[in-house]
Amino acid sequence: MSDVAGRGPTATAVRADVAQRTPADMPLPPGAVPSAALLQGRTAVHIEHNGALYLLRATRLGKLILTK
């Protein structure tokens, strides 16, 4: 689908294409750490950052929640 001037795909077509991709289809940016490497089979892990303790949790729906 092209925009009106025929310059390329419309923003809607680009969003639809991105929405159909799965995380496994998208390359990781340099330095990215997969959540599985942090969680190592657990549902939660504590992370120390700048002297504060945070809790990273994976929900049943596959979301991540970071709390202080």
Side-chain angles (χ1 to χ4, degrees):
M1 205 181 259
S2 331
D3 65 8
V4 175
R7 291 183 297 251
T10 63
T12 303
V14 170
R15 281 193 302 271
D17 178 53
V18 171
Q20 291 175 356
R21 295 183 192 168
T22 63
D25 295 336
M26 294 184 231
L28 291 177
V33 178
S35 62
L38 294 172
L39 295 169
Q40 299 179 357
R42 300 174 297 228
T43 57
V45 63
H46 285 92
I47 300 171
E48 184 276 326
H49 177 70
N50 288 338
L53 192 61
Y54 294 81
L55 179 65
L56 178 67
R57 291 188 305 117
T59 69
R60 285 178 276 165
L61 296 177
K63 308 286 183 180
L64 292 176
I65 299 173
L66 181 65
T67 55
K68 188 170 183 181

